[in-house]
Amino acid sequence: ADGKMKEKYTYTYNRITSYGTWGDKVVTVSTGDSKITDEDQNVAQALLFNYLDATDGSQEEGTLLAENYLGNGEKVSWAGLVEANNKIYTSVIPMGMSKYGIKKWPEAVTDQELVTKTDGGSGSSAYTAGVIPSTQYPDNAYVAIYSGTNFNETPVIAKTDKIGYACGRMRSQYYQTIWAADNGDVYVFSPGYGRTAVSSSDLKKVTGQKPSGAMRIKAGATDFDPDYYVNFEEIGTKHPIFRCWHISEDYFLLQLYKKGAEDMISGGTSADVSELAVFKAEDQTIMPVTGLPADGKFGGEPYGEKGYAYMAVTVTTGENPAFYKIDAKTGKAVKGLTVEADAITTVGKMKYLSK
């Protein structure tokens, strides 16, 4: 009531590669070692969950085998959780084969030349000898659909080969690119990152061909709508997406690669992702966002409701950062509250719960 925040719960969890909400629970997800090993002591990879109950602060953990999750021998990660139609939807990202997977499902190796001969890579792209470090299926998108109250059940897997896997990427962070419209239709957006898997003299990869696009799973359905497909590289500025968020109704805010697909493929983490646009999903149209400062930098999560997206913007001219209000129907951004701080990155809305 006095506008001041007080600490209520303290909790710990594993590193996060994805997160979301499920009812009153906050769910964090990461991929890591399980307690399962084979006779050669190869460790199976697992999806590691942490559930925090926002009503009483209780916490529980969960583990799910990430190996062969899709039945193709590959380990997986998840990108985003969408709660809609009394179900949970998550984008499943295939990530190649571990030593454990290759030994247990050798028939799943499509080409022995994909198996690494030596250690290599760096940072989040580091790999060891004897693995397949990137997916053999870059031009497929998978969505797991859960109907229960946790991830112990066997999900329904929706699959399409019209777009590549659905997530934004920044090093080891997997950004959510699946969202539900107000009518329950779930839209699945792909940047087309399969094209960035390029073979080198010492490492062969399967290079994807699919452009950045979107498909949908209609409310109540458990498979992709065969009549819906959008190629973002043929509409608007013809640029691939980096991230996206739901605003309201069937409007979505897109963050795009400003210099196009070639910059996405070759630019890596230094690629220019400063372009914003509004996508109306039913009409399959894109409108550029106007009115933002030319030197503005944005990042983190915007917040959308009632036809508007609110985004935190920091400028480099010495002025205080501010929130901007973007009209989904016109694409016009208007400056709102200014914040006395060096920078702001995220905007959200808190709900007051009476005692």
Side-chain angles (χ1 to χ4, degrees), residues 6 14-15 25 28 37 40 49 63 71 73 81 134 144 147 160 183 194 215 231 258 273 291 303-304 328 355:
K6 300 182 177 70
N14 293 298
R15 62 187 283 271
K25 294 180 179 180
T28 64
T37 58
D40 294 331
F49 308 103
T63 302
L81 299 172
S134 58
S147 301
T160 180
N183 67 354
M215 293 190 70
N231 183 341
K258 189 174 183 178
V273 291
Y303 174 76
K355 295 181 179 179

mmCIF file of all heavy atoms in Angstrom, residues 6 14-15 25 28 37 40 49 63 71 73 81 134 144 147 160 183 194 215 231 258 273 291 303-304 328 355:
data_model
loop_
_atom_site.group_PDB
_atom_site.id
_atom_site.type_symbol
_atom_site.label_atom_id
_atom_site.label_comp_id
_atom_site.label_asym_id
_atom_site.label_seq_id
_atom_site.Cartn_x
_atom_site.Cartn_y
_atom_site.Cartn_z
ATOM 1 N N LYS A 6 9.105 -5.170 -0.052
ATOM 2 C CA LYS A 6 9.776 -5.842 1.053
ATOM 3 C C LYS A 6 10.110 -7.260 0.630
ATOM 4 O O LYS A 6 9.348 -7.903 -0.085
ATOM 5 C CB LYS A 6 8.877 -5.885 2.296
ATOM 6 C CG LYS A 6 8.460 -4.528 2.838
ATOM 7 C CD LYS A 6 7.614 -4.704 4.090
ATOM 8 C CE LYS A 6 7.235 -3.353 4.688
ATOM 9 N NZ LYS A 6 6.285 -2.617 3.859
ATOM 10 N N ASN A 14 18.954 -23.695 -10.225
ATOM 11 C CA ASN A 14 20.023 -23.896 -11.188
ATOM 12 C C ASN A 14 20.104 -22.717 -12.153
ATOM 13 O O ASN A 14 19.217 -21.865 -12.208
ATOM 14 C CB ASN A 14 19.770 -25.179 -11.991
ATOM 15 C CG ASN A 14 19.883 -26.418 -11.144
ATOM 16 O OD1 ASN A 14 20.929 -26.707 -10.595
ATOM 17 N ND2 ASN A 14 18.800 -27.170 -11.036
ATOM 18 N N ARG A 15 21.182 -22.683 -12.931
ATOM 19 C CA ARG A 15 21.296 -21.682 -13.985
ATOM 20 C C ARG A 15 20.060 -21.757 -14.885
ATOM 21 O O ARG A 15 19.460 -22.812 -15.054
ATOM 22 C CB ARG A 15 22.559 -21.914 -14.820
ATOM 23 C CG ARG A 15 22.571 -23.241 -15.536
ATOM 24 C CD ARG A 15 23.924 -23.501 -16.211
ATOM 25 N NE ARG A 15 24.058 -22.744 -17.440
ATOM 26 C CZ ARG A 15 23.671 -23.191 -18.636
ATOM 27 N NH1 ARG A 15 23.111 -24.379 -18.753
ATOM 28 N NH2 ARG A 15 23.860 -22.459 -19.711
ATOM 29 N N LYS A 25 2.813 -20.814 -10.111
ATOM 30 C CA LYS A 25 4.216 -21.211 -9.983
ATOM 31 C C LYS A 25 5.088 -20.514 -11.020
ATOM 32 O O LYS A 25 4.711 -20.373 -12.174
ATOM 33 C CB LYS A 25 4.357 -22.730 -10.142
ATOM 34 C CG LYS A 25 3.702 -23.528 -9.018
ATOM 35 C CD LYS A 25 3.885 -25.019 -9.227
ATOM 36 C CE LYS A 25 3.239 -25.810 -8.084
ATOM 37 N NZ LYS A 25 3.396 -27.269 -8.259
ATOM 38 N N THR A 28 11.626 -22.305 -13.678
ATOM 39 C CA THR A 28 12.888 -22.073 -14.371
ATOM 40 C C THR A 28 13.381 -23.387 -14.937
ATOM 41 O O THR A 28 13.162 -24.448 -14.358
ATOM 42 C CB THR A 28 13.954 -21.478 -13.432
ATOM 43 O OG1 THR A 28 14.267 -22.425 -12.398
ATOM 44 C CG2 THR A 28 13.462 -20.192 -12.800
ATOM 45 N N THR A 37 24.309 -42.573 -15.993
ATOM 46 C CA THR A 37 25.533 -42.784 -16.757
ATOM 47 C C THR A 37 25.501 -44.165 -17.411
ATOM 48 O O THR A 37 24.771 -45.052 -16.961
ATOM 49 C CB THR A 37 26.782 -42.687 -15.871
ATOM 50 O OG1 THR A 37 26.684 -43.663 -14.824
ATOM 51 C CG2 THR A 37 26.912 -41.305 -15.248
ATOM 52 N N ASP A 40 30.483 -46.606 -19.827
ATOM 53 C CA ASP A 40 31.697 -45.837 -20.088
ATOM 54 C C ASP A 40 31.725 -44.528 -19.302
ATOM 55 O O ASP A 40 32.565 -43.660 -19.559
ATOM 56 C CB ASP A 40 31.808 -45.536 -21.584
ATOM 57 C CG ASP A 40 32.009 -46.790 -22.409
ATOM 58 O OD1 ASP A 40 32.591 -47.761 -21.874
ATOM 59 O OD2 ASP A 40 31.581 -46.810 -23.578
ATOM 60 N N PHE A 49 14.375 -28.574 -13.599
ATOM 61 C CA PHE A 49 13.316 -27.614 -13.308
ATOM 62 C C PHE A 49 13.376 -27.149 -11.860
ATOM 63 O O PHE A 49 13.770 -27.889 -10.964
ATOM 64 C CB PHE A 49 11.931 -28.239 -13.535
ATOM 65 C CG PHE A 49 11.762 -28.885 -14.872
ATOM 66 C CD1 PHE A 49 11.821 -30.260 -15.007
ATOM 67 C CD2 PHE A 49 11.547 -28.119 -15.999
ATOM 68 C CE1 PHE A 49 11.665 -30.869 -16.227
ATOM 69 C CE2 PHE A 49 11.383 -28.713 -17.239
ATOM 70 C CZ PHE A 49 11.451 -30.085 -17.351
ATOM 71 N N THR A 63 13.327 -33.197 -12.600
ATOM 72 C CA THR A 63 14.309 -33.584 -13.613
ATOM 73 C C THR A 63 13.626 -34.412 -14.688
ATOM 74 O O THR A 63 12.773 -35.249 -14.392
ATOM 75 C CB THR A 63 15.451 -34.408 -12.987
ATOM 76 O OG1 THR A 63 16.076 -33.639 -11.959
ATOM 77 C CG2 THR A 63 16.501 -34.766 -14.037
ATOM 78 N N GLY A 71 12.718 -38.490 -29.912
ATOM 79 C CA GLY A 71 12.782 -39.776 -30.596
ATOM 80 C C GLY A 71 13.791 -39.821 -31.723
ATOM 81 O O GLY A 71 13.813 -40.787 -32.497
ATOM 82 N N GLY A 73 17.213 -39.276 -31.111
ATOM 83 C CA GLY A 73 18.530 -39.481 -30.529
ATOM 84 C C GLY A 73 19.201 -38.234 -29.989
ATOM 85 O O GLY A 73 20.218 -38.322 -29.307
ATOM 86 N N LEU A 81 7.797 -20.879 -21.925
ATOM 87 C CA LEU A 81 6.615 -21.609 -21.480
ATOM 88 C C LEU A 81 5.391 -20.732 -21.728
ATOM 89 O O LEU A 81 5.365 -19.573 -21.314
ATOM 90 C CB LEU A 81 6.707 -21.951 -19.988
ATOM 91 C CG LEU A 81 7.875 -22.846 -19.557
ATOM 92 C CD1 LEU A 81 7.934 -22.932 -18.043
ATOM 93 C CD2 LEU A 81 7.736 -24.233 -20.162
ATOM 94 N N SER A 134 25.858 -29.746 -32.896
ATOM 95 C CA SER A 134 24.691 -28.980 -33.338
ATOM 96 C C SER A 134 23.695 -29.927 -33.986
ATOM 97 O O SER A 134 24.040 -31.033 -34.410
ATOM 98 C CB SER A 134 25.100 -27.869 -34.319
ATOM 99 O OG SER A 134 25.760 -28.401 -35.448
ATOM 100 N N ALA A 144 6.236 -28.954 -27.556
ATOM 101 C CA ALA A 144 5.687 -29.961 -26.642
ATOM 102 C C ALA A 144 4.479 -29.364 -25.935
ATOM 103 O O ALA A 144 4.522 -28.222 -25.462
ATOM 104 C CB ALA A 144 6.736 -30.389 -25.621
ATOM 105 N N SER A 147 -0.603 -31.259 -20.566
ATOM 106 C CA SER A 147 -1.976 -31.023 -20.116
ATOM 107 C C SER A 147 -2.151 -31.135 -18.608
ATOM 108 O O SER A 147 -3.227 -30.822 -18.093
ATOM 109 C CB SER A 147 -2.932 -32.013 -20.797
ATOM 110 O OG SER A 147 -2.885 -31.881 -22.193
ATOM 111 N N THR A 160 6.744 -29.392 -37.358
ATOM 112 C CA THR A 160 6.594 -28.867 -38.707
ATOM 113 C C THR A 160 7.959 -28.757 -39.365
ATOM 114 O O THR A 160 8.973 -28.531 -38.691
ATOM 115 C CB THR A 160 5.906 -27.488 -38.707
ATOM 116 O OG1 THR A 160 5.793 -27.028 -40.060
ATOM 117 C CG2 THR A 160 6.702 -26.471 -37.911
ATOM 118 N N ASN A 183 -7.135 -15.174 -28.267
ATOM 119 C CA ASN A 183 -8.129 -16.209 -28.556
ATOM 120 C C ASN A 183 -7.614 -17.623 -28.309
ATOM 121 O O ASN A 183 -8.309 -18.595 -28.586
ATOM 122 C CB ASN A 183 -8.634 -16.081 -29.998
ATOM 123 C CG ASN A 183 -7.553 -16.404 -31.025
ATOM 124 O OD1 ASN A 183 -6.391 -16.613 -30.676
ATOM 125 N ND2 ASN A 183 -7.936 -16.449 -32.293
ATOM 126 N N GLY A 194 19.041 -22.041 -38.258
ATOM 127 C CA GLY A 194 19.717 -23.196 -38.831
ATOM 128 C C GLY A 194 20.752 -22.804 -39.869
ATOM 129 O O GLY A 194 21.726 -23.531 -40.109
ATOM 130 N N MET A 215 4.406 -19.915 -37.743
ATOM 131 C CA MET A 215 3.254 -20.787 -37.926
ATOM 132 C C MET A 215 2.417 -20.720 -36.658
ATOM 133 O O MET A 215 2.790 -20.037 -35.697
ATOM 134 C CB MET A 215 3.708 -22.218 -38.225
ATOM 135 C CG MET A 215 4.400 -22.359 -39.571
ATOM 136 S SD MET A 215 4.664 -24.088 -40.016
ATOM 137 C CE MET A 215 2.951 -24.608 -40.332
ATOM 138 N N ASN A 231 6.382 -15.921 -44.078
ATOM 139 C CA ASN A 231 7.810 -15.771 -44.329
ATOM 140 C C ASN A 231 8.171 -14.311 -44.086
ATOM 141 O O ASN A 231 7.799 -13.431 -44.865
ATOM 142 C CB ASN A 231 8.140 -16.172 -45.765
ATOM 143 C CG ASN A 231 9.638 -16.108 -46.068
ATOM 144 O OD1 ASN A 231 10.408 -15.461 -45.363
ATOM 145 N ND2 ASN A 231 10.051 -16.787 -47.130
ATOM 146 N N LYS A 258 18.281 -5.682 -38.214
ATOM 147 C CA LYS A 258 18.101 -4.480 -39.025
ATOM 148 C C LYS A 258 18.808 -4.558 -40.379
ATOM 149 O O LYS A 258 18.357 -3.967 -41.363
ATOM 150 C CB LYS A 258 18.600 -3.257 -38.247
ATOM 151 C CG LYS A 258 18.269 -1.920 -38.894
ATOM 152 C CD LYS A 258 18.664 -0.769 -37.990
ATOM 153 C CE LYS A 258 18.273 0.567 -38.598
ATOM 154 N NZ LYS A 258 18.609 1.692 -37.692
ATOM 155 N N VAL A 273 20.344 -5.605 -33.978
ATOM 156 C CA VAL A 273 18.968 -6.055 -33.747
ATOM 157 C C VAL A 273 18.118 -4.897 -33.212
ATOM 158 O O VAL A 273 17.262 -5.073 -32.356
ATOM 159 C CB VAL A 273 18.924 -7.262 -32.787
ATOM 160 C CG1 VAL A 273 19.511 -8.492 -33.436
ATOM 161 C CG2 VAL A 273 19.661 -6.963 -31.471
ATOM 162 N N GLY A 291 8.882 6.691 -33.851
ATOM 163 C CA GLY A 291 8.813 7.572 -32.693
ATOM 164 C C GLY A 291 9.817 7.283 -31.608
ATOM 165 O O GLY A 291 9.912 8.036 -30.625
ATOM 166 N N TYR A 303 6.246 -4.951 -21.952
ATOM 167 C CA TYR A 303 4.989 -5.405 -21.367
ATOM 168 C C TYR A 303 3.853 -4.976 -22.266
ATOM 169 O O TYR A 303 3.802 -3.831 -22.716
ATOM 170 C CB TYR A 303 4.808 -4.811 -19.956
ATOM 171 C CG TYR A 303 3.460 -5.131 -19.350
ATOM 172 C CD1 TYR A 303 3.203 -6.400 -18.849
ATOM 173 C CD2 TYR A 303 2.446 -4.185 -19.310
ATOM 174 C CE1 TYR A 303 1.966 -6.722 -18.309
ATOM 175 C CE2 TYR A 303 1.207 -4.482 -18.766
ATOM 176 C CZ TYR A 303 0.973 -5.756 -18.269
ATOM 177 O OH TYR A 303 -0.254 -6.072 -17.737
ATOM 178 N N GLY A 304 2.925 -5.901 -22.563
ATOM 179 C CA GLY A 304 1.826 -5.566 -23.449
ATOM 180 C C GLY A 304 0.465 -5.785 -22.823
ATOM 181 O O GLY A 304 0.257 -6.781 -22.123
ATOM 182 N N ALA A 328 -0.218 -0.616 -30.865
ATOM 183 C CA ALA A 328 -0.127 -1.792 -31.734
ATOM 184 C C ALA A 328 -0.788 -1.550 -33.096
ATOM 185 O O ALA A 328 -0.373 -2.135 -34.101
ATOM 186 C CB ALA A 328 -0.769 -3.000 -31.054
ATOM 187 N N LYS A 355 -4.278 -8.771 1.750
ATOM 188 C CA LYS A 355 -3.964 -9.771 2.773
ATOM 189 C C LYS A 355 -5.197 -10.596 3.105
ATOM 190 O O LYS A 355 -6.309 -10.125 3.073
ATOM 191 C CB LYS A 355 -3.441 -9.063 4.039
ATOM 192 C CG LYS A 355 -2.119 -8.344 3.800
ATOM 193 C CD LYS A 355 -1.646 -7.679 5.080
ATOM 194 C CE LYS A 355 -0.321 -6.986 4.871
ATOM 195 N NZ LYS A 355 0.172 -6.302 6.088
#
